[in-house]
Amino acid sequence: MTIAPPDARAADDAALDDHRRDYESLAERLDRRGLRADDVVDAVRRFEVAVPSWALGTGGTRFGRFPGPGEPRTLDEKLEDAAVVHRLTGATPRVSLHLPWDDPRDPDALKAHAAQLGLGFDAVNSNTFQDQQGQRLSYKLGSFSHPDAAVRRQAVDHNLHVVEVGRALGAEAITIWLADGSNYPGQMSLRRSFDRVLDCLREVYAALPAGWRLFTEHKPYEPAFYATVVQDWGSSLLLAQSLGDRAQCLVDLGHHLPNTNIEMVVARLLGAGKLGGFHFNDSKYGDDDLTAGSIKPYALFLVFHELVLAERDRLPSFRPAYMIDQSHNLKDPVEDLLQTVDQLQLACAKAWLVDHDALAAHQESGDVLMAERTLKDAFETDARPLVAEARRRAGAALDPVRAFRTSGYRATKSAERVGGIVEARGL
Amino acid sequence: MTIAPPDARAADDAALDDHRRDYESLAERLDRRGLRADDVVDAVRRFEVAVPSWALGTGGTRFGRFPGPGEPRTLDEKLEDAAVVHRLTGATPRVSLHLPWDDPRDPDALKAHAAQLGLGFDAVNSNTFQDQQGQRLSYKLGSFSHPDAAVRRQAVDHNLHVVEVGRALGAEAITIWLADGSNYPGQMSLRRSFDRVLDCLREVYAALPAGWRLFTEHKPYEPAFYATVVQDWGSSLLLAQSLGDRAQCLVDLGHHLPNTNIEMVVARLLGAGKLGGFHFNDSKYGDDDLTAGSIKPYALFLVFHELVLAERDRLPSFRPAYMIDQSHNLKDPVEDLLQTVDQLQLACAKAWLVDHDALAAHQESGDVLMAERTLKDAFETDARPLVAEARRRAGAALDPVRAFRTSGYRATKSAERVGGIVEARGL
Amino acid sequence: MTIAPPDARAADDAALDDHRRDYESLAERLDRRGLRADDVVDAVRRFEVAVPSWALGTGGTRFGRFPGPGEPRTLDEKLEDAAVVHRLTGATPRVSLHLPWDDPRDPDALKAHAAQLGLGFDAVNSNTFQDQQGQRLSYKLGSFSHPDAAVRRQAVDHNLHVVEVGRALGAEAITIWLADGSNYPGQMSLRRSFDRVLDCLREVYAALPAGWRLFTEHKPYEPAFYATVVQDWGSSLLLAQSLGDRAQCLVDLGHHLPNTNIEMVVARLLGAGKLGGFHFNDSKYGDDDLTAGSIKPYALFLVFHELVLAERDRLPSFRPAYMIDQSHNLKDPVEDLLQTVDQLQLACAKAWLVDHDALAAHQESGDVLMAERTLKDAFETDARPLVAEARRRAGAALDPVRAFRTSGYRATKSAERVGGIVEARGL
Amino acid sequence: MTIAPPDARAADDAALDDHRRDYESLAERLDRRGLRADDVVDAVRRFEVAVPSWALGTGGTRFGRFPGPGEPRTLDEKLEDAAVVHRLTGATPRVSLHLPWDDPRDPDALKAHAAQLGLGFDAVNSNTFQDQQGQRLSYKLGSFSHPDAAVRRQAVDHNLHVVEVGRALGAEAITIWLADGSNYPGQMSLRRSFDRVLDCLREVYAALPAGWRLFTEHKPYEPAFYATVVQDWGSSLLLAQSLGDRAQCLVDLGHHLPNTNIEMVVARLLGAGKLGGFHFNDSKYGDDDLTAGSIKPYALFLVFHELVLAERDRLPSFRPAYMIDQSHNLKDPVEDLLQTVDQLQLACAKAWLVDHDALAAHQESGDVLMAERTLKDAFETDARPLVAEARRRAGAALDPVRAFRTSGYRATKSAERVGGIVEARGL
């Protein structure tokens, strides 16, 4: 491992005095508002988010892909990079695998290797939206929704395999995003395709190991451009309701139609006891898979506000699985992940800065302006000292990107990792 | 009544020969495709849609309203106009009242008057999105979702009154569209506001007369511009599920986010046994409330295709309540309704022109192009002779707009109806 | 005048020590980044924005309007409220009139009255989207684009009158937003309607007093729901190009299609020398006219970033006219304006916190992450002490909303202003 | 060539009698409306559209690609397929090349080969949105807008090469779609990037052979997900204005934000003398590149309506270059093209069925309903006999898809074309 904690800290040393001053000044300011900085720091430290194996290489669009030097060539190298992200942020102790992209030959060995790096495994992801070399039947016209039972069988078997691998790795959930859909009116029966999907999901659900959950993930379009079978949270909810208590819905922040109020979707799923997890990213147009918080940071804060409320209200079914799901097209993948975790920690910190009693009182009395301002007071606060402090206490870096750049990690790896090919893909 | 059937027919006489030739030519052409024109004509004749009382006057936008001469000044005059629409189309035997806009002082007398005109009553609509003169508490910050229990009480009582009036008129359903929501983040609790709405709905549901249904109607925004409590079909579904079997969801074609695949929403609600009814209109941007079929006629056809499939499949819960819900800003309201019914009949006819066996076969074999083309074959057909024939057989007009213009009805009414004021509003 | 500066300051006194500490702590922090807090405070003090006369009363939607107590009943009372906004923010020295809503009987007297209150007049606005009582010809089917030359004549004459009034009041520009358009395909000729608009604009342009500018304002839809004549910035640009140097385009932040990158529109108009001014507000769905910065504060910052760049680059044609254009439906109109000005000042301050040299260097070297982070560094900074300090130095309030509430102004006015009616409308 | 005209005709023979009957019945019906069927048939025969070389293989999305058997492996094979499309539709006499995807080694030989197949060449397309093997500098961060002059040089040189190849092939225009843009705020200077693009375009423009035109093509997003340099028609217009008379704008039907009124964009560019050409396709969500007319056939008709009006009004600069630009992901590429041409011919035929005098009269008199109905009268007409007749008279197939399937062409080619690889890409 190129980055040893001392290196990370070395980059921080010069900044430490300034950090302390900023933190104390902020703590005093918060104290005036009746908030304890330490409480927020603790809340940030509780926040954990999984890193997906595929996000460690450069993504792309249908128009092209521009990979950079030093990208990981193997699953082991991906874990190595993931460990760097965790070391510098202190917030990503688990990796989320995507099969067959990262199907481990020897799950036990992989698990042991990960443990050595301080990593575990989060929800596993199946993939029936691409044909793999040597695959018997094509998913061109669908998988779980395919009119041909043999194709559905193949897709279910793949998912059962994914569960099996996940079990061996110590994961406790499977996330199923289906690209199934149609490009043209008439191409598929809108109702029957949904029934078929439910039937296949039942089979996977029945095979879940004890303690596991199944997450259904919706998306309005792409790659299907007329109709997608699991197109919105309502459809996802119907599936999760039909499957049972261990089925919940996963919300990807980029899988919504223009102008959707996503925090409302979150609130509805929370209210129905069906919010299972998140795929974090940001977007301006569609499923753009940009760095979380890069386009609409206030909207991200509002989503975290709902999550904090759910935690405060101790909603019984609330046990969210957080994952990053982005396509790093232009930035260095590790840097992009570091920046992303920082943005999520910031949104989390700000959501804990909300004065909930004041907010409730303003809502009750109908003071629209002051209720809004209560949220804005939290959002306007410069919470960077709080998340830096949370990382510092976790032994991570005050400024993860700076630490990463200072370490020279990528240059070292570029020299080591030659001739690698990361398969093209995108979520 | 100014328009007597002979007048309507008089306008048609000159066109009758041409109509017969067109109809027979089309029937022969359909026969080649294995379709009987008479069957489609019968299907069109079965299609009925309610006319809302408020659509008989000119609507408007927040920027202004441009009423025309001869608009109905009273509920009786609205019924008179509604009867004209029914007489000329043969498809609108029921009127849908909106209270308090059209709260009848004497429901029994109104019912009798309507019966004389050949009209009955469809679903009644409550209104808690405006304050009425003399109203005790304001709905400025909500009705069913209001933090103040007294406001919720007032709103529930209004709905109970609407049910009572509807019962007296022979209606069998209440449609509840709630404008409740918020303009700013923080203004309302997203989860608690929904719980309150559900509580209020339970009370109204409990008071439903035997045989009645309750329709919940969603809308993503307007007049609330940040968050609407019943913002999408998923929320509407959760409400209907919680209430019980007699609660179903109503789909307004204009109440969707940009790019929504509405036929998919229809299919999901059908699959869940929760599609209760429709508000027909068309739109390009938001809830524009334009003439049905005027912007996206193919999308309207695709919605009807799902409805026809539901009828063919005899879905047990399928008993849809159809209503027009438009804002006639520029066209003569009666003419706009006549054109609307014609467009709906056209979409209905075309949906019945689909070769369902061929479609199913192409879907099964994965022939995307031919499956799509099967729908397009139906849509491309000039179905106007079929709907004209359906109207002719019902004793209505071949061309309702022409008949209306020929009749001179509006001019007559403009002379009679002087000094009228129709209250400004819009759905 | 109920609010005298001492009162405003009285509310601030208790907070002044904290403010000083916060400001100094921030100044020190900025100093580390090579920025002088005083420079930013100066930049905020230079920022001025006009208050529109119509924003001093409660707005509404087509579904209703919920006015509050104490709203101004006359233009004089509106000026009185506008003066309060200026006194508490120090940033709104001019009022923008909308005719005929606020057509002054005696412009000279009005000008004198305003001067006494410390106010002047900004761009005047014409209105041909509503029919006024006693108006000869209707704008139902358009004004400048109307097929009937007599209607166009009437609309031009109205605009000439508006210019005349504006001249008398000391204004130096006219803003023309045309609602002209159509609800249905075929209703108007898309090309001819545009030519007619240009012809009418030429006549108004020719009548501009020396030193005046004419702003064309586009909007994609509402109240026209199929096609709007001046529907986008490209159309607005064509008009301004055809008219001449004194014609420029005005950008309303809510007049864009979903997902529009507005800062890009700003950059294009700046590059073409055609950016004339702004209407500030915020929105989630359409032209929602919410408080500026309430939904997408980062997007507002990015717009200000372009404006600051234009100022730094000394673009020759850059002389922007800033105005607020909102519809205060739920909040107290004065409070909403105070909050709005605060949000604009915040966005302005943050835009001046950008390290422009670093940004340019990162752009040049292709360091995507650091370029983005340079903007985020500015945005994440809690700039509230800077804008409070700017207001303090201007003799205004540290916290305008708090000062307004403490003053009891609205309660006093509610007692005074009885029986008022503000005409319903909305922009 | 596997498909000889007799084969195509053989498939038609059985249908010919029915076609004649349908055509005559329609002609009689049109005659009643004062329209001559022959005139419309002639207009359809005048309509020509280019087939892009890349559309002859299966496209894909970033999530995968599902190629089919028998796809062309070489440019010669692509021409062979293009010739089939032309033979069966009679409407696609030219091919549009995309370089470097289809960079011919020997343009003269290619031109001769094409001529033998009855084909010529339309506008050539450059590509600087992907890196090609062996390319010296990367377009990862842009081409014409790149901060590094060497990258811009490379991109300009590529375009000059494309012009050179096009000249050799007999093409008369170059279409430049730039993917240049940024994924994150701050990544690029919004104004400077535009200036750089204009500078590069000037160089290409200066090198245009006599008689050539240059088309700038805009797109709001994808692959850039924050800001695209040529993001809308306004930007495209500014470029074309700055370049000169031989620069015009090209409209791709899928390159617009949600809810855009595209026919309005067409009308504006026509009015400004800057409409150069079209890329036809259809979409529901973004740049979905579906079969033209498959999602919004009425919108396609409305676009053609503007084109027909421009032709009738003899706009001096109106000389549109039509091209198909789709991504055939699920359908057989040749079949998809045949269906597309059919849909375009249908839209063209219907646009010529509009009663222009009646339309103008209704617009003039403000008869909104009848004006709209005039368009709907044309659109509702089943125009299939007209386009079939146009094809018949051109020696093409009554039903091109049926003829293609009957011919067994794809099966034959699947046996011949083994081991082919079509490079992944998408427009």
Side-chain angles (χ1 to χ4, degrees), chain A residues 218-412:
Chain A
H218 70 275
K219 184 172 180 181
Y221 66 94
E222 197 210 24
F225 291 121
Y226 165 64
T228 297
V229 180
V230 190
Q231 98 267 22
D232 53 17
W233 76 268
S235 295
S236 187
L237 174 77
L238 280 172
L239 294 175
Q241 286 177 331
S242 298
L243 291 176
D245 283 350
R246 292 194 291 151
Q248 290 186 305
C249 302
L250 185 142
V251 175
D252 183 299
L253 291 182
H255 292 192
H256 304 273
L257 289 173
N259 300 347
T260 299
N261 183 323
I262 300 176
E263 53 270 30
M264 197 67 147
V265 172
V266 171
R268 285 294 161 275
L269 286 171
L270 284 169
K274 283 298 188 189
L275 185 83
F278 266 88
H279 278 180
F280 289 114
N281 51 56
D282 208 344
S283 59
K284 187 167 179 64
Y285 303 101
D287 186 29
D288 307 337
D289 281 334
L290 303 178
T291 312
S294 63
I295 303 295
K296 299 170 193 158
Y298 191 46
L300 182 64
F301 161 78
L302 293 172
V303 165
F304 268 91
H305 175 53
E306 292 304 313
L307 298 172
V308 166
L309 287 175
E311 189 173 333
R312 280 173 50 93
D313 291 353
R314 303 185 187 213
L315 294 191
S317 63
F318 183 61
R319 193 159 56 93
Y322 296 131
M323 194 172 83
I324 294 166
D325 186 1
Q326 295 173 179
S327 187
H328 308 304
N329 295 342
L330 300 181
K331 297 174 184 170
D332 178 293
V334 168
E335 292 188 6
D336 205 345
L337 287 167
L338 295 174
Q339 194 187 22
T340 295
V341 175
D342 180 59
Q343 289 290 310
L344 296 174
Q345 290 174 318
L346 264 179
C348 176
K350 290 184 176 190
W352 281 103
L353 286 171
V354 172
D355 182 338
H356 291 97
D357 294 336
L359 180 63
H362 294 314
Q363 289 176 344
E364 206 62 29
S365 69
D367 191 336
V368 177
L369 188 145
M370 289 309 292
E372 184 202 5
R373 191 164 139 159
T374 303
L375 289 188
K376 273 291 185 75
D377 270 345
F379 182 71
E380 280 300 337
T381 304
D382 189 338
R384 289 176 294 183
L386 298 170
V387 304
E389 180 65 12
R391 285 193 294 255
R392 195 191 65 77
R393 294 186 190 173
L398 285 181
D399 181 338
V401 168
R402 186 181 56 202
F404 181 75
R405 289 200 170 187
T406 306
S407 75
Y409 181 85
R410 184 62 75 194
T412 310

Side-chain angles (χ1 to χ4, degrees), chain C residues 217-232:
Chain C
E217 181 179 359
H218 70 274
K219 184 173 181 180
Y221 66 94
E222 198 209 22
F225 291 121
Y226 165 65
T228 297
V229 180
V230 191
Q231 99 266 26
D232 53 19

Side-chain angles (χ1 to χ4, degrees), chain C residues 343-417:
Chain C
Q343 289 290 310
L344 296 174
Q345 290 174 317
L346 263 180
C348 176
K350 290 184 175 191
W352 281 103
L353 287 171
V354 173
D355 182 338
H356 291 97
D357 295 335
L359 179 64
H362 294 314
Q363 289 176 345
E364 206 63 28
S365 69
D367 191 337
V368 178
L369 188 145
M370 289 308 293
E372 184 203 4
R373 190 164 140 158
T374 303
L375 290 188
K376 273 291 186 74
D377 271 345
F379 182 71
E380 279 299 337
T381 303
D382 188 339
R384 289 175 294 182
L386 299 169
V387 304
E389 180 64 13
R391 286 193 294 255
R392 194 190 65 77
R393 295 187 189 172
L398 285 182
D399 180 339
V401 168
R402 185 180 55 201
F404 181 75
R405 291 201 168 186
T406 306
S407 75
Y409 181 85
R410 184 63 74 195
T412 310
K413 291 300 162 188
S414 298
E416 282 173 34
R417 298 171 179 174

Side-chain angles (χ1 to χ4, degrees), chain C residues 18 38 186 240 293 321 405:
Chain C
D18 287 338
D38 274 359
R405 291 201 168 186

